[in-house]
Amino acid sequence: MDRRNFLKTAAAISVALPNGKTKAENQNVEKEFYGVLVDTTRCIGCRSCEVACSLEHNLFVPDITKDNAFNSIRDTSEKQWTVVNCYDTAKGKVYVKKQCMHCWQPACSAACLTNAMFKTTDGPVIWRENKCMGCRYCMVSCPFDIPKFEYHEWNPKIQKCKMCYERIIDGKKPACVDACPMDALMFGSKRELLEIARYRVYSHPEKYEPKIYGEYEVGGTGWLYLSPVPFDQIGFRTDLGNTPYPEYTREFLYAVPLVLFGVPALLLGLNMLTERKNEIGKTEELNHE
Amino acid sequence: MESYTYLNIFETKGLEYLLLMCFLVLFVFLIRYLSTDKEKK
Amino acid sequence: MNNSQSIQSEIKRFLKFFFQELKPQGKWLTPFNIITIPIIIVGLIILYFRFTEGLGSVTNLSQKYPWGFWIGFDVVTGVAFAGGAYIITFVVYVMRVEKYHSIVRVTVLNGLLAYIFYAGALVLDLGKPWNIINPIIGNSFGYNSVLFLVSWHFLLYMIAEFIEFSPVIAEWAKFEKLRKILNSLTLATVIFGITLSTLHQSGLGALFLMAKPKIHPLWYTEFIPILFLVSSIFAGLSMIIFEGTISHKVFKKLIDPKHHHSFNEIIFGLAKGAAISMFVYYFFKALIFVHGKHWDLLNDFWGGWFLLEVIGLVLIPCFMFAYSVRNKSLGIIRVASILSLIGIILNRLNISVITFNWNVVDKYIPSWQEIVVTLMVISCELWVFRWIVTRMPVFEKNKNY
């Protein structure tokens, strides 16, 4: 039995045991994050994904035949985890689905002081109600402004896409991916998805912008995008940089234990120093007397 | 970050050191200003 | 047996004494009461709606502005103003500068109350305040979060400040033995408290490090934590000057005239410290500005706003402090302290609220309810402050101390 298989069986046993921790966070099995590739050249703006998402998670189901949603640029909200927007570009109308990007190193989960925002080993970033204290620091930190807060509830929740975490655990694809009639959404590991995305860009250079959004942005995201036009024309921020956002607080958090040990020692030293000076002063006074 | 040309991230260092020296001189003046008492003069 | 009996009688005596002290002293219809009582009542009514209908019912917070006036002013600015406590305890207990000993008690009390009320205002802003115990009791430690650090530090610092202040309480309640024990803890808690202060003053700035794409580039820098720490020094010093000037008028009877005289000397010392720290802060700002190559950003409204904050409310009060120290002018010091306090308010609000998502169309403007609740928090703090200083030996020194 090689190591991988051993770990798998060990994990399976621990799942089967009554006391075994079944949560994904406790498994040490090496696995790759899942992600989704969005090919905006394939999307026709049917908004099946919006409906499927809302049905799956008991959210507000938009009336896609009547609500003329493409007249304005919409944002995800506490009632809808995903929306499709339409952009008029040089290459015609481009439809772009928006949802949580499921960053490789998410700012929201680094920001969360209760680990309520949590990057699972499968890739989805999920929110856990029983831990959250509603401080909304995840909203401040998220570079994509994705977590949404229920301002009109006495017991509010943070609402955001969780890449259908429960379905992924069951071995199914996210609801939106399943609902897409055009194969504009593709579910898989990032390694596979990047291969496919690169292949598409190489084989149809006239059709695609030579860039995969999410390959490097904010340290890499779980959701990847292909576009026919530059990404800033279809509502993406291109100024976010390639540094994972938790890195911005890294030096500060490194400094904390150093300060907690160093500063008391320094202060105590200063205190003793001033005391000694007084002593010398006193003895000199005595000598003068 | 998609720069394909040379990017000097220390472009302003010379200016920064100049600024530092100016401020150090000004700081000495400030301290002298604060530590001399007008009444004592 | 004997020992426990004596403790019991001590506690009985204390409780009787305590309830006696709870009763109001003096007149009820003072101008201060007439203003603050309605504010507190209205504030409580607003809070009732906030906890039953949600934050959105009384605040103007939105998905783009998750943090508003309660965080930006009450917590971030309030804590900067409370910075005086760690500066003064450093000067008096660590550096042993006896000149400032007479203001230690009132400064520590101010710091303690500021933390209890302003950091306490954080609870009002939480969506699920009952889960606030989660990061403390350990079922979900988010070590990776700056906010985790800040909240722990608030908690520990409040305890440290309380221990620093507790000899005064023991003196008031006439617990002689306890006072001696608590007194012996002072140096340790002072050192602990200063360390915590350096970290959470800068930590409040570090909270915004991950909001890089949202804060205006003139304000965002990786040095925000250091800027917050340095500016908390003169924020604290200006606050002591401001608050000291007022309480020396209001509580004149409580302060012995000898102290009154030395207080002017203290103010000049504090102003000197403020001038130097503001100058250093101004250099930091200039250096960061140069390093960021932000000259072209100065042309629009935000550029002017930036210059107003940095030159109008840091450099000018800095020179005013310096000028007034040399010319022994208390009047200019007072104006300078107010200007620099406004500068701190502006700086903290700029980073946390005003330039946050500066390019968004729907700007956040605090609702009147948010402002009333803030005023309520301040009023409550002043009530407790007044209650304590009129009863406990905060201003006058104990004879045997």
Side-chain angles (χ1 to χ4, degrees), chain C residues 144-170:
Chain C
N144 37 19
S145 171
V146 180
L147 195 58
F148 174 78
L149 178 93
V150 171
S151 57
W152 259 96
H153 278 195
F154 279 175
L155 183 74
L156 293 175
Y157 190 64
M158 276 186 227
I159 296 169
E161 291 274 84
F162 183 73
I163 296 173
E164 277 170 41
F165 187 69
S166 60
V168 183
I169 302 174

Short mmCIF file of all heavy atoms in Angstrom, two decimals, chain C residues 144-170:
data_model
loop_
_atom_site.label_atom_id
_atom_site.label_comp_id
_atom_site.label_asym_id
_atom_site.label_seq_id
_atom_site.Cartn_x
_atom_site.Cartn_y
_atom_site.Cartn_z
N ASN C 144 -4.78 34.35 12.28
CA ASN C 144 -4.33 35.00 11.06
C ASN C 144 -4.90 36.40 10.89
O ASN C 144 -4.57 37.08 9.95
CB ASN C 144 -4.70 34.13 9.86
CG ASN C 144 -6.06 33.48 10.05
OD1 ASN C 144 -6.85 33.94 10.88
ND2 ASN C 144 -6.33 32.43 9.31
N SER C 145 -5.77 36.81 11.80
CA SER C 145 -6.47 38.08 11.61
C SER C 145 -5.85 39.19 12.45
O SER C 145 -5.50 38.99 13.61
CB SER C 145 -7.93 37.91 12.00
OG SER C 145 -8.57 39.16 12.01
N VAL C 146 -5.75 40.37 11.85
CA VAL C 146 -5.30 41.53 12.62
C VAL C 146 -6.35 41.90 13.65
O VAL C 146 -6.04 42.31 14.76
CB VAL C 146 -5.02 42.73 11.68
CG1 VAL C 146 -4.56 43.93 12.47
CG2 VAL C 146 -3.99 42.37 10.65
N LEU C 147 -7.61 41.72 13.28
CA LEU C 147 -8.69 42.07 14.20
C LEU C 147 -8.68 41.18 15.43
O LEU C 147 -9.04 41.60 16.54
CB LEU C 147 -10.04 41.97 13.48
CG LEU C 147 -11.22 42.63 14.17
CD1 LEU C 147 -10.96 44.10 14.40
CD2 LEU C 147 -12.48 42.46 13.36
N PHE C 148 -8.25 39.94 15.26
CA PHE C 148 -8.11 39.03 16.39
C PHE C 148 -7.14 39.61 17.40
O PHE C 148 -7.40 39.69 18.61
CB PHE C 148 -7.60 37.68 15.87
CG PHE C 148 -7.27 36.67 16.94
CD1 PHE C 148 -8.28 35.97 17.57
CD2 PHE C 148 -5.96 36.43 17.31
CE1 PHE C 148 -7.98 35.04 18.55
CE2 PHE C 148 -5.66 35.50 18.29
CZ PHE C 148 -6.66 34.81 18.91
N LEU C 149 -6.01 40.07 16.87
CA LEU C 149 -4.99 40.68 17.71
C LEU C 149 -5.53 41.91 18.40
O LEU C 149 -5.38 42.09 19.61
CB LEU C 149 -3.81 41.04 16.80
CG LEU C 149 -2.66 41.72 17.48
CD1 LEU C 149 -1.68 40.68 17.88
CD2 LEU C 149 -2.04 42.73 16.58
N VAL C 150 -6.20 42.76 17.62
CA VAL C 150 -6.69 44.02 18.18
C VAL C 150 -7.72 43.76 19.27
O VAL C 150 -7.68 44.37 20.34
CB VAL C 150 -7.27 44.91 17.05
CG1 VAL C 150 -7.98 46.11 17.63
CG2 VAL C 150 -6.18 45.36 16.11
N SER C 151 -8.62 42.81 19.04
CA SER C 151 -9.67 42.59 20.04
C SER C 151 -9.07 42.00 21.31
O SER C 151 -9.46 42.37 22.42
CB SER C 151 -10.77 41.69 19.48
OG SER C 151 -10.21 40.49 19.04
N TRP C 152 -8.12 41.10 21.17
CA TRP C 152 -7.46 40.55 22.36
C TRP C 152 -6.72 41.65 23.11
O TRP C 152 -6.73 41.70 24.34
CB TRP C 152 -6.47 39.45 21.96
CG TRP C 152 -7.06 38.11 22.19
CD1 TRP C 152 -7.69 37.33 21.28
CD2 TRP C 152 -7.10 37.40 23.42
NE1 TRP C 152 -8.12 36.18 21.87
CE2 TRP C 152 -7.77 36.19 23.19
CE3 TRP C 152 -6.64 37.65 24.72
CZ2 TRP C 152 -8.00 35.24 24.18
CZ3 TRP C 152 -6.86 36.72 25.71
CH2 TRP C 152 -7.54 35.53 25.44
N HIS C 153 -6.09 42.52 22.34
CA HIS C 153 -5.35 43.59 22.99
C HIS C 153 -6.26 44.57 23.70
O HIS C 153 -5.92 45.05 24.78
CB HIS C 153 -4.48 44.32 21.97
CG HIS C 153 -3.22 43.58 21.72
ND1 HIS C 153 -2.15 44.13 21.11
CD2 HIS C 153 -2.88 42.32 22.03
CE1 HIS C 153 -1.19 43.23 21.06
NE2 HIS C 153 -1.61 42.13 21.60
N PHE C 154 -7.41 44.84 23.11
CA PHE C 154 -8.38 45.69 23.81
C PHE C 154 -8.71 45.08 25.16
O PHE C 154 -8.69 45.75 26.19
CB PHE C 154 -9.67 45.80 22.99
CG PHE C 154 -9.60 46.82 21.90
CD1 PHE C 154 -10.65 46.96 21.01
CD2 PHE C 154 -8.50 47.63 21.75
CE1 PHE C 154 -10.61 47.90 20.00
CE2 PHE C 154 -8.44 48.57 20.75
CZ PHE C 154 -9.50 48.70 19.86
N LEU C 155 -9.01 43.80 25.13
CA LEU C 155 -9.42 43.11 26.35
C LEU C 155 -8.31 43.16 27.39
O LEU C 155 -8.52 43.58 28.54
CB LEU C 155 -9.78 41.66 26.01
CG LEU C 155 -10.29 40.85 27.17
CD1 LEU C 155 -11.71 41.26 27.49
CD2 LEU C 155 -10.24 39.37 26.84
N LEU C 156 -7.10 42.76 26.99
CA LEU C 156 -5.99 42.72 27.93
C LEU C 156 -5.64 44.12 28.42
O LEU C 156 -5.32 44.33 29.59
CB LEU C 156 -4.76 42.07 27.27
CG LEU C 156 -4.90 40.60 26.94
CD1 LEU C 156 -3.68 40.12 26.19
CD2 LEU C 156 -5.09 39.77 28.21
N TYR C 157 -5.73 45.09 27.51
CA TYR C 157 -5.34 46.44 27.90
C TYR C 157 -6.33 47.01 28.91
O TYR C 157 -5.95 47.71 29.84
CB TYR C 157 -5.25 47.34 26.66
CG TYR C 157 -4.64 48.69 26.96
CD1 TYR C 157 -3.34 48.78 27.39
CD2 TYR C 157 -5.38 49.85 26.82
CE1 TYR C 157 -2.77 50.01 27.67
CE2 TYR C 157 -4.83 51.08 27.10
CZ TYR C 157 -3.52 51.15 27.52
OH TYR C 157 -2.97 52.37 27.82
N MET C 158 -7.62 46.70 28.71
CA MET C 158 -8.61 47.16 29.69
C MET C 158 -8.29 46.60 31.06
O MET C 158 -8.38 47.31 32.07
CB MET C 158 -10.00 46.70 29.27
CG MET C 158 -10.66 47.62 28.27
SD MET C 158 -12.34 47.07 28.01
CE MET C 158 -12.44 47.10 26.27
N ILE C 159 -7.90 45.33 31.11
CA ILE C 159 -7.55 44.73 32.40
C ILE C 159 -6.33 45.42 32.99
O ILE C 159 -6.30 45.77 34.17
CB ILE C 159 -7.31 43.21 32.23
CG1 ILE C 159 -8.60 42.53 31.78
CG2 ILE C 159 -6.80 42.60 33.52
CD1 ILE C 159 -8.43 41.11 31.33
N ALA C 160 -5.32 45.66 32.12
CA ALA C 160 -4.10 46.30 32.61
C ALA C 160 -4.40 47.70 33.14
O ALA C 160 -3.94 48.09 34.22
CB ALA C 160 -3.06 46.37 31.48
N GLU C 161 -5.21 48.46 32.39
CA GLU C 161 -5.57 49.81 32.82
C GLU C 161 -6.34 49.76 34.13
O GLU C 161 -6.17 50.60 35.00
CB GLU C 161 -6.44 50.49 31.76
CG GLU C 161 -5.73 50.83 30.50
CD GLU C 161 -5.04 52.16 30.57
OE1 GLU C 161 -3.90 52.19 31.09
OE2 GLU C 161 -5.61 53.15 30.12
N PHE C 162 -7.21 48.75 34.24
CA PHE C 162 -8.00 48.64 35.46
C PHE C 162 -7.09 48.39 36.66
O PHE C 162 -7.26 48.98 37.72
CB PHE C 162 -9.03 47.52 35.32
CG PHE C 162 -9.93 47.41 36.51
CD1 PHE C 162 -10.91 48.36 36.73
CD2 PHE C 162 -9.77 46.39 37.43
CE1 PHE C 162 -11.74 48.29 37.85
CE2 PHE C 162 -10.58 46.30 38.55
CZ PHE C 162 -11.57 47.26 38.75
N ILE C 163 -6.10 47.52 36.47
CA ILE C 163 -5.18 47.25 37.58
C ILE C 163 -4.37 48.50 37.90
O ILE C 163 -4.12 48.82 39.06
CB ILE C 163 -4.27 46.06 37.25
CG1 ILE C 163 -5.12 44.79 37.10
CG2 ILE C 163 -3.22 45.84 38.33
CD1 ILE C 163 -4.35 43.60 36.61
N GLU C 164 -3.96 49.23 36.86
CA GLU C 164 -3.23 50.46 37.10
C GLU C 164 -4.06 51.46 37.91
O GLU C 164 -3.54 52.21 38.72
CB GLU C 164 -2.83 51.13 35.77
CG GLU C 164 -1.58 50.56 35.15
CD GLU C 164 -1.38 51.09 33.74
OE1 GLU C 164 -1.62 52.28 33.51
OE2 GLU C 164 -1.00 50.29 32.86
N PHE C 165 -5.36 51.46 37.64
CA PHE C 165 -6.22 52.43 38.31
C PHE C 165 -6.70 51.91 39.67
O PHE C 165 -7.11 52.69 40.53
CB PHE C 165 -7.41 52.77 37.42
CG PHE C 165 -8.27 53.88 37.96
CD1 PHE C 165 -7.78 55.18 38.01
CD2 PHE C 165 -9.54 53.63 38.44
CE1 PHE C 165 -8.55 56.21 38.51
CE2 PHE C 165 -10.31 54.67 38.94
CZ PHE C 165 -9.82 55.95 38.98
N SER C 166 -6.66 50.59 39.85
CA SER C 166 -7.30 49.98 41.02
C SER C 166 -6.80 50.49 42.37
O SER C 166 -7.58 50.51 43.31
CB SER C 166 -7.17 48.46 40.94
OG SER C 166 -5.83 48.11 40.91
N PRO C 167 -5.52 50.90 42.53
CA PRO C 167 -5.14 51.45 43.84
C PRO C 167 -6.03 52.62 44.25
O PRO C 167 -6.33 52.79 45.43
CB PRO C 167 -3.70 51.90 43.63
CG PRO C 167 -3.19 51.06 42.54
CD PRO C 167 -4.35 50.80 41.65
N VAL C 168 -6.47 53.40 43.27
CA VAL C 168 -7.35 54.53 43.58
C VAL C 168 -8.68 54.02 44.12
O VAL C 168 -9.22 54.55 45.10
CB VAL C 168 -7.58 55.39 42.32
CG1 VAL C 168 -8.43 56.59 42.64
CG2 VAL C 168 -6.25 55.81 41.73
N ILE C 169 -9.19 52.96 43.49
CA ILE C 169 -10.46 52.40 43.96
C ILE C 169 -10.28 51.84 45.37
O ILE C 169 -11.13 52.05 46.25
CB ILE C 169 -10.94 51.29 42.99
CG1 ILE C 169 -11.10 51.87 41.58
CG2 ILE C 169 -12.25 50.68 43.47
CD1 ILE C 169 -11.43 50.84 40.54
N ALA C 170 -9.17 51.16 45.59
CA ALA C 170 -8.92 50.58 46.90
C ALA C 170 -8.79 51.67 47.96
O ALA C 170 -9.27 51.52 49.08
CB ALA C 170 -7.66 49.72 46.86
#
